[in-house]
Amino acid sequence: MANINIKLKVWRQKDSQSKGQFEAYEVKQISTESSFLEMMDVLNEQLINDGNQPISFDHDCREGICGMCGLYINGRAHGPDLDVTTCQLHMRKFKDNDSITIEPWRAGGFPVIKDLMVDRSAFDKILQAGGFISVNTGGVPDANAIPISKDDAEEAMDAASCIGCGACVATCKNSSAMLFVSAKVSQLALLPQGRIEASRRAKNMLSAMDDLGFGNCTNTGACEVECPKGISVAHIARLNREFLVANLKD
Amino acid sequence: MSGFFKSSVGQKFLMSITGLFLIVFLLVHFTANFFLFFGSDAFNTVSHFMETNPIIQIMQPILAIGFLVHIIYSIILTIQNLKARPQKYVKFEQGHSSTWASRNMFILGSLIGIFLIMHIMNFFWKMKVSGSDLYTEVNVDGVMMHNSYALVTGLFTDASFGLVYSIAYILGAIFLGLHLSHAFWSAFQTIGWSNQVWRKRLEWIGNAYAIIIGVGFSIIPLYFLIFK
Ligand code: SF4
Ligand code: FES
């Protein structure tokens, strides 16, 4: 276990209307065992003790499952580690005297609320447009009543592991939300229960995505590399297919 | 379907379809050019076939439309993409997560566009409109045809500008190869013809195709520069 000193350049912005600017901070003797967000907590305590405003950032579970956390660290969504969220990033990924630049997710669809906190309700709107299935109420159905192949079940489960963090949008040079939308379409499109509304779903979710100001995917593939859940761009191909077929049907 | 072409995926679909069409065209173009290595009669015969074949004549305006749609939608989509991030990052690392070509398709496309204008002025314009001293009639096995060979090789071996043209054509071929290295798989991905398995195959074919076109088109000016 070692302790390191780091220099930070953090984006500070009073509210959604203000312009915002970078502030420099130093954190001394931080344990490499601590998580990135624990380091931020230490910095915030320091700020509060000095009578300053603490830095606002989103977080909740701190175990990589809720999708609330998300910082753009040294030019990368969720920082310099693969397949982890910001809360799972550890200070051992940094060296003594490193300089770390922290920015909020930057995308027209994710306006900054305060400091490093962005408004990701655009994702909720996309889900409301079609990321659901309709089921009849009544008794609990038999688990084996509808046969589903193992492969389809696995792939749907992989898609369902998307936690809606927004790293795909943040890291995309076009601020495209295609990886997120494709995961949410795939998890349902692969299963018989999701087929009933499949056409409507693909069209409505994509049109919501377009209206909310996200960019157009150019298939660079950066999203799947930075996605903490390793969602594959193969889901984007499926989404395109679903959308094309849905349009051919009318 | 009307809503389709207003959507982002629909517009990208147009980019892909026209792109795939241009990919096929490039293959035909390259095959024809390949006959340059077999001397003047061979190349002139192929050019004569291209000039007179009705299918090629029908394809010409369609090709022009294909280029235009590809270019126009690339501009529309690129402007939207620039607007989608009003405030830029100060640090933005992409080197580990995507290829340079995939991130610079519009720049590569624009460079190819500039090359295309020069290319049309060098050949298509001279063949169809203005004519050229080199573009005379020759007799090949009793058939009168244009001396396309002289026009093409004359450009690369020109005493004053041959070197400049050759370099421009080699650069054009390199830009084209880079553009294609991303274009091929990307086009299939956008029309939905890809998955975990096919992605690797399509990327492999796309890279092979990009190398054939990039290297193939570079060799032509290089060959005439060095050996003629
Ligand atoms: S696809 Fe990945 S990066 Fe995008 S929101 Fe889901 S978990 Fe986050
Ligand atoms: S705080 Fe829940 S995923 Fe990071």
Side-chain angles (χ1 to χ4, degrees):
Chain A
M1 186 170 132
N3 288 345
I4 55 172
N5 299 331
I6 46 164
K7 293 185 195 65
L8 294 162
K9 213 171 108 183
V10 184
W11 182 258
R12 302 301 307 261
Q13 184 171 333
K14 216 172 113 241
D15 51 44
S16 58
Q17 304 309 318
S18 357
K19 232 179 131 279
Q21 74 292 322
F22 281 101
E23 297 288 345
Y25 303 104
E26 268 181 57
V27 180
K28 293 207 185 307
Q29 293 302 307
I30 190 83
S31 160
T32 49
E33 307 273 293
S34 72
S35 77
F36 197 83
L37 294 187
E38 281 164 347
M39 181 276 293
M40 295 293 286
D41 295 337
V42 170
L43 171 61
N44 271 346
E45 256 170 58
Q46 230 169 266
L47 287 171
I48 293 166
N49 286 343
D50 295 345
N52 295 320
Q53 276 283 323
I55 301 161
S56 297
F57 59 89
D58 264 325
H59 62 103
D60 190 12
C61 70
R62 295 210 178 190
E63 53 185 9
I65 53 171
C66 76
M68 273 312 282
C69 61
L71 299 177
Y72 214 75
I73 302 161
N74 277 348
R76 294 184 56 179
H78 294 306
D81 204 354
L82 290 174
D83 294 329
V84 296
T85 52
T86 303
C87 60
Q88 294 169 295
L89 177 69
H90 280 76
M91 293 312 292
R92 54 177 168 267
K93 284 277 156 189
F94 300 92
K95 291 191 299 294
D96 201 17
N97 293 320
D98 266 1
S99 304
I100 305 173
T101 305
I102 311 174
E103 297 173 77
W105 284 175
R106 296 242 185 252
F110 290 161
V112 173
I113 300 170
K114 189 171 194 267
D115 298 335
L116 302 170
M117 215 178 212
V118 296
D119 180 358
R120 282 169 291 184
S121 56
F123 270 9
D124 301 334
K125 294 192 185 113
I126 293 173
L127 281 180
Q128 282 155 11
F132 49 80
I133 56 164
S134 305
V135 281
N136 293 329
T137 52
V140 180
D142 176 10
N144 295 319
I146 307 169
I148 296 166
S149 86
K150 172 97 172 125
D151 289 346
D152 286 346
E154 291 282 348
E155 207 169 341
M157 194 60 211
D158 284 347
S161 67
C162 163
I163 52 174
C165 64
C168 42
V169 174
T171 198
C172 173
K173 77 181 242 298
N174 311 314
S175 306
S176 165
M178 283 292 272
L179 193 66
F180 167 77
V181 178
S182 74
K184 297 300 171 195
V185 163
S186 269
Q187 67 181 8
L188 302 175
L190 281 159
L191 304 175
Q193 293 92 327
R195 290 314 311 168
I196 300 150
E197 292 136 318
S199 296
R200 243 188 301 158
R201 177 180 310 114
K203 286 203 280 189
N204 292 349
M205 287 179 78
L206 272 177
S207 110
M209 179 194 87
D210 285 346
D211 292 345
L212 288 159
F214 295 103
N216 310 295
C217 169
T218 55
N219 303 324
T220 69
C223 53
E224 69 174 2
V225 175
E226 297 295 26
C227 169
K229 299 296 155 187
I231 303 287
S232 156
V233 294
H235 295 297
I236 296 182
R238 179 175 297 103
L239 169 62
N240 292 337
R241 211 151 58 222
E242 291 274 324
F243 184 67
L244 184 62
V245 170
N247 275 283
L248 286 172
K249 276 192 197 152
D250 1 287
Chain B
M1 281 303 278
S2 69
F4 182 71
F5 294 111
K6 290 204 189 82
S7 70
S8 62
V9 175
Q11 293 180 345
K12 280 160 9 113
F13 182 81
L14 285 175
M15 289 292 294
S16 303
I17 291 296
T18 51
L20 287 171
F21 175 61
L22 296 176
I23 281 174
V24 175
F25 156 72
L26 274 176
L27 214 53
V28 176
H29 189 338
F30 178 66
T31 313
N33 281 22
F34 198 70
F35 283 89
L36 278 166
F37 295 118
F38 301 112
S40 130
D41 284 1
F43 185 68
N44 283 340
T45 309
V46 171
S47 303
H48 184 68
F49 171 79
M50 292 285 176
E51 263 177 78
T52 49
N53 186 291
I55 298 173
I56 304 280
Q57 297 312 305
I58 296 168
M59 288 316 277
Q60 250 175 29
I62 300 177
L63 180 65
I65 294 168
F67 266 111
L68 280 178
V69 170
H70 197 73
I71 292 166
I72 290 168
Y73 277 98
S74 76
I75 295 170
I76 295 174
L77 291 166
T78 303
I79 291 173
Q80 287 174 354
N81 285 349
L82 289 173
K83 280 197 194 144
R85 178 161 292 138
Q87 184 149 11
K88 309 285 174 237
Y89 290 105
V90 296
K91 269 193 130 184
F92 193 55
E93 298 291 336
Q94 297 265 289
H96 62 286
S97 59
S98 60
T99 61
W100 184 87
S102 75
R103 279 175 274 130
N104 292 282
M105 289 298 274
F106 188 74
I107 291 171
L108 286 166
S110 308
L111 290 168
I112 296 165
I114 294 169
F115 170 79
L116 184 66
I117 294 169
M118 184 189 86
H119 187 53
I120 288 174
M121 291 193 327
N122 284 161
F123 297 123
F124 190 80
W125 186 258
K126 286 183 185 162
M127 287 173 172
K128 301 278 169 183
V129 189
S130 71
S132 155
D133 298 343
L134 293 168
Y135 199 50
T136 50
E137 295 265 317
V138 286
N139 186 328
V140 179
D141 296 333
V143 184
M144 290 306 284
M145 55 182 68
H146 287 118
N147 196 352
S148 311
Y149 184 81
L151 184 68
V152 175
T153 55
L155 188 80
F156 298 130
T157 52
D158 186 278
S160 33
F161 292 112
L163 186 65
V164 179
Y165 273 125
S166 300
I167 292 172
Y169 271 78
I170 292 167
L171 283 177
I174 293 171
F175 297 148
L176 193 56
L178 285 169
H179 195 75
L180 291 168
S181 70
H182 177 64
F184 193 88
W185 167 72
S186 179
F188 282 98
Q189 165 86 355
T190 298
I191 60 173
W193 282 4
S194 183
N195 57 28
Q196 307 264 32
V197 178
W198 273 94
R199 178 184 182 179
K200 289 190 197 76
R201 295 178 186 163
L202 289 167
E203 279 182 331
W204 194 90
I205 301 169
N207 282 327
Y209 175 77
I211 291 170
I212 291 171
I213 293 291
V215 174
F217 275 117
S218 308
I219 284 176
I220 295 166
L222 221 52
Y223 174 79
F224 287 102
L225 200 63
I226 296 170
F227 295 108
K228 300 280 155 160

